[in-house]
Amino acid sequence: MKAIAVIPARQASTRLPRKMLRPLAGKTLIARVYEGVRSSPLLHDVIVATDSDEILQLCREHGWNARMTSAAHRSGTERVHEISNSVAADVYINVQGDEPLTRAEHIAALLGLMKDPSVQVGTLKTPASAGDINNPNAVKVVTDASGKALYFSRATIPYDRDAAGPSYSKHLGFYAYRKPALDRFCALPESSLERSERLEQLRFLENGIPIQVGETAYDTVGVDTEEDLRRVEAILMRRET
């Protein structure tokens, strides 16, 4: 199975300006993400897909494979799709450029899902911490008995009406796609649930495209704010001492 990882790396960010190039425990954020993805021995290649000359130049200075993609893309998935139109693979892994705690184990879990040829889209979940359960910035996912996603939400799902103490799962921003699923996603308009929750993966579900969800013990922290940056830096410093 030829698998290529694509790291969408957009320069513009409203909540954390120039975040891809921000220093994080001695390296840039994009360097942390790239090295985490590159640590997997299961990938044929890792490509940074950017709309920034500055990010492209940084990648070239480090010898990383990077490609310029359209500034008109509205999502990382669209940027991965552009790469898929020129680079052939059996599976495309999408690792968002703000996931500096990416590990080889995340890639292995995703590719484990894609060994089943019937799976068109895969993603990951991890047990939600107490702080994530009611946090709208931590996306929750519920799945059926076979591991297919029923729904993703910023709300607390499932709702614990009778204090039964259900388990909660946090969705992690890693995806695996086959080419037809990417093509279909980008041909479809933004869906109503996607617009409401601001979660693009709901476009797949609303259009009847199943998402298989694997589980990992390795949580991550997506970097969207200065607070996230400091939190991840502390984690990395502990890990590397």
Side-chain angles (χ1 to χ4, degrees), residues 3-7 37 43 45-48 91-95 107:
I4 290 174
V6 181
I7 304 171
V37 178
L43 295 169
D45 201 358
V46 179
I47 302 171
V48 176
V91 173
Y92 298 89
I93 302 290
N94 178 355
V95 179
I107 306 300

Side-chain angles (χ1 to χ4, degrees), residues 79-123:
R79 220 169 284 284
V80 175
H81 182 248
E82 181 179 337
I83 296 295
S84 76
N85 287 333
S86 59
V87 182
D90 299 306
V91 173
Y92 298 89
I93 302 290
N94 178 355
V95 179
Q96 297 176 29
D98 57 7
E99 289 283 0
L101 299 181
T102 301
R103 307 169 61 111
E105 290 89 345
H106 294 128
I107 306 300
L110 279 172
L111 291 177
L113 296 173
M114 305 308 285
K115 289 178 180 178
D116 181 346
S118 70
V119 175
Q120 293 297 302
V121 183
T123 193

Side-chain angles (χ1 to χ4, degrees), residues 98-99 101 106 123-143 151-155 157-158 167-175 201 213-224 228 231-232 235:
D98 57 7
E99 289 283 0
L101 299 181
H106 294 128
T123 193
L124 297 178
K125 66 178 181 179
T126 196
S129 67
D132 283 334
I133 291 172
N134 295 308
N135 178 6
N137 293 319
V139 177
K140 273 66 69 177
V141 58
V142 291
T143 58
Y151 194 62
F152 299 86
S153 184
R154 298 183 184 280
I157 55 172
S167 59
Y168 293 92
S169 295
K170 174 186 171 183
H171 176 235
L172 303 184
F174 302 94
Y175 297 92
Q201 63 268 36
V213 184
E215 185 157 6
T216 177
Y218 300 100
D219 195 4
T220 67
V221 178
V223 175
D224 290 313
D228 295 334
R231 181 181 170 196
V232 172
I235 293 170

Side-chain angles (χ1 to χ4, degrees), residues 16-80:
L16 189 61
R18 295 173 55 80
K19 72 177 181 179
M20 291 294 102
L21 301 176
R22 294 289 295 271
L24 184 59
K27 300 179 181 179
T28 59
L29 174 58
I30 186 61
R32 290 287 180 183
V33 180
Y34 184 89
E35 290 174 2
V37 178
R38 186 74 273 184
S39 69
S40 170
L42 305 176
L43 295 169
H44 183 267
D45 201 358
V46 179
I47 302 171
V48 176
T50 187
D51 60 358
S52 162
D53 287 324
E54 195 172 0
I55 292 174
L56 186 69
Q57 183 60 34
L58 177 71
C59 292
R60 288 177 173 169
E61 287 172 3
H62 286 83
W64 306 335
N65 191 355
R67 297 192 178 207
M68 187 67 77
T69 49
S70 172
H73 291 320
R74 297 166 298 169
S75 69
T77 307
E78 291 182 358
R79 220 169 284 284
V80 175

